[in-house]
Amino acid sequence: MKHDYLIIGQGLAGSILAYQLVKRGKSVVIIDERNPTSSSRVAAGLANPFTGPKMVKSWKAEELFPFLKQFYCELETETNAHFFSERTIFRPFGSIAELNDWDGRSTQPNYKKFINIIHAQGIHSKYVHEPFGGVEISGYVLNVPVFLDTMYLFFQTKCTFVEGRFDESLLTINDQGISYKNIEARKIIYCSGHQIQQSAYFGWTPLAPVKGEILHLKMKTDFQTIYNHSCFIIPNDDGMFKAGSTYDRMDLTDRPTEKGKNEITKKLDALLKMEYTIVNHEAGIRPGTVPRRPLIGAHPAHGNMYIFNGMGTKGVSLAPFFSNQFVKNLEEGNNLDQEVDIKKYYSLYFKSHFSFKH
Ligand SMILES: Cc1cc2nc3c(=O)[nH]c(=O)nc-3n(C[C@H](O)[C@H](O)[C@H](O)COP(=O)(O)OP(=O)(O)OC[C@H]3O[C@@H](n4cnc5c(N)ncnc54)[C@H](O)[C@@H]3O)c2cc1C
């Protein structure tokens, strides 16, 4: 049987894209080696409409956030599972100037819709240091391991799922489609995270992987707010907490390090007033990109070969919106957002494949 799509990778990107295709009645094969240290497996799962040390509004937050809420809620209903929660994120202010700055921002429509309330000091002081008060932001948390396990079970019945490593040297491509071992498909889509760098077809794309480490904590408390200042502390549904994370572009192994642990605990100790015990420490490689935008679209030379990657630090919020846009591109010929369309990097492909020596 010839399938419509072969998807490589069942991380956040591959799971969400495969779901959108299955929903349209497409026949999908997924190959994934179920790597326990994939970026998605270790991700904290936070969707915060503000980003960076200065907490500026995230790119396209006003489009991404309503979309992601509807998407994950629909998926919870469809799979009869729970992995998505609406959560308040509290950002303590570092100074009076910051308090004044947020007072100003709260009058701007693009900020206003994500700000719940600005507090003077005292509201969260039982748990965190907040000498100048702080801002409560409306955010979300995806329990990514539960989400991935739920989708794995969903795909067992709705697609063909092949567990194991995809060996690209066994792939053949022609005008009608692709074949790989005994699988035939019209199109192949790479959702292989940072491992795309090893691909002979997409290794030229401007990926800039970033290692991240995260700690799992036990605490004698039950606060439900996410605290975020230099680092985040996220309460899980099981009474545990996640704290992180780090950003390292040099060490691209998936091994947790003492340096990473110390960096997180130092920030944690400056923010948190509670005692904690570290019960687990994980690391993964985020598929970051040079332009800090996802990388989506068709291969410059093979019209039935695609990439859906580059979710960087924000797979939870980017993947639902852009998978929807990408499926419309694949199935209806709609244009992709120019900022994510890999067409703008085709020159890198031509340079890497056709460089002439004078
Ligand atoms: C410490 C840390 C914290 C993070 N916190 C957040 C957060 O709070 N919020 C947020 O939005 N994002 C967060 N991220 C980023 C998030 O993890 C990524 O944006 C997202 O998970 C990327 O998903 P992906 O599917 O593209 O890649 P991956 O998760 O890497 O998935 C790729 C999949 O492809 C499979 N694969 C690759 N090559 C092959 C092959 N040859 N054969 C078979 N299978 C293959 C892998 O096994 C894997 O399952 C965090 C990341 C880290 C490391």
Side-chain angles (χ1 to χ4, degrees):
M1 171 196 173
K2 193 164 197 155
H3 297 276
D4 294 314
Y5 291 94
L6 168 60
I7 292 185
I8 311 302
Q10 194 238 314
L12 268 171
S15 299
I16 292 174
L17 183 66
Y19 172 72
Q20 301 267 24
L21 290 166
V22 166
K23 220 173 66 172
R24 280 191 173 234
K26 299 293 150 194
S27 150
V28 176
V29 184
I30 302 172
I31 302 180
D32 189 280
E33 62 183 343
R34 308 209 77 210
N35 173 4
T37 61
S38 74
S39 188
S40 303
R41 275 278 153 198
V42 306
L46 183 60
N48 184 344
F50 301 117
T51 194
K54 297 207 166 141
M55 294 280 268
V56 290
K57 188 181 64 62
S58 299
W59 179 62
K60 283 190 181 288
E62 51 280 52
E63 285 172 272
L64 302 183
F65 275 68
F67 195 92
L68 75 88
K69 180 180 178 185
Q70 199 186 336
F71 177 82
Y72 291 117
C73 288
E74 176 194 305
L75 204 44
E76 281 195 324
T77 308
E78 172 85 38
T79 56
N80 197 21
H82 175 58
F83 40 72
F84 181 68
S85 314
E86 207 156 347
R87 283 284 168 82
T88 296
I89 303 168
F90 182 71
R91 150 90 172 191
F93 297 136
S95 63
I96 294 281
E98 199 182 338
L99 166 63
N100 292 337
D101 177 40
W102 277 93
D103 267 335
R105 291 191 206 189
S106 66
T107 60
Q108 299 170 21
N110 275 350
Y111 277 81
K112 203 173 169 179
K113 60 174 71 129
F114 299 114
I115 295 176
N116 292 347
I117 190 164
I118 292 178
H119 282 301
Q121 72 220 57
I123 302 292
H124 295 270
S125 56
K126 184 174 162 201
Y127 306 113
V128 291
H129 298 282
E130 45 132 349
F132 305 102
V135 56
E136 284 189 2
I137 295 157
S138 160
Y140 303 99
V141 177
L142 182 71
N143 186 329
V144 191
V146 173
F147 167 79
L148 293 175
D149 291 344
T150 303
M151 295 315 291
Y152 172 73
L153 292 178
F154 176 86
F155 294 137
Q156 300 296 318
T157 57
K158 304 281 184 191
C159 326
T160 305
F161 196 102
V162 181
E163 209 163 313
R165 186 150 182 86
F166 168 71
D167 177 357
E168 198 179 56
S169 67
L170 303 178
L171 180 71
T172 55
I173 317 162
N174 58 43
D175 291 346
Q176 280 74 49
I178 62 96
S179 63
Y180 175 75
K181 294 185 177 173
N182 59 347
I183 300 165
E184 303 239 315
R186 283 195 301 120
K187 295 176 178 178
I188 179 169
I189 308 176
Y190 282 73
C191 303
S192 43
H194 76 98
Q195 293 194 58
I196 195 72
Q197 286 194 303
Q198 277 96 57
S199 165
Y201 296 101
F202 285 109
W204 52 272
T205 50
L207 218 78
V210 190
K211 178 175 181 171
E213 299 189 37
I214 194 162
L215 301 177
H216 295 237
L217 312 176
K218 218 169 154 175
M219 284 192 264
K220 285 197 183 121
T221 181
D222 61 352
F223 60 76
Q224 293 301 306
T225 305
I226 294 164
Y227 292 111
N228 189 346
H229 192 276
S230 308
C231 68
F232 57 72
I233 308 159
I234 302 177
N236 280 355
D237 287 339
D238 60 4
M240 303 286 286
F241 297 80
K242 283 184 184 169
S245 56
T246 59
Y247 299 84
D248 190 342
R249 292 182 191 278
M250 304 308 288
D251 167 16
L252 293 177
T253 66
D254 58 7
R255 281 189 298 278
T257 63
E258 206 53 28
K259 181 173 159 248
K261 184 165 95 179
N262 292 340
E263 187 182 324
I264 300 170
T265 52
K266 197 172 162 198
K267 290 176 179 169
L268 208 50
D269 294 341
L271 173 62
L272 197 64
K273 288 183 175 171
M274 326 285 300
E275 304 239 307
Y276 56 85
T277 313
I278 299 169
V279 292
N280 197 6
H281 180 189
E282 293 179 296
I285 313 295
R286 305 174 182 94
T289 66
V290 176
R292 293 170 189 265
R293 296 286 179 262
L295 300 171
I296 305 174
H299 189 277
H302 304 290
N304 40 26
M305 184 172 245
Y306 299 83
I307 183 172
F308 184 68
N309 205 318
M311 301 296 146
T313 58
K314 295 193 168 54
V316 173
S317 42
L318 292 168
F321 181 86
F322 282 106
S323 61
N324 186 53
Q325 191 178 99
F326 185 33
V327 168
K328 286 186 177 158
N329 169 264
L330 290 166
E331 291 292 319
E332 296 163 28
N334 288 10
N335 286 335
L336 287 168
D337 189 317
Q338 284 182 8
E339 288 199 71
V340 304
D341 193 332
I342 59 160
K343 268 189 191 142
K344 65 195 278 194
Y345 308 110
Y346 278 1
S347 61
L348 297 176
Y349 169 78
F350 292 114
K351 255 188 223 152
S352 66
H353 283 68
F354 307 102
S355 59
F356 299 103
K357 289 199 173 82
H358 296 285

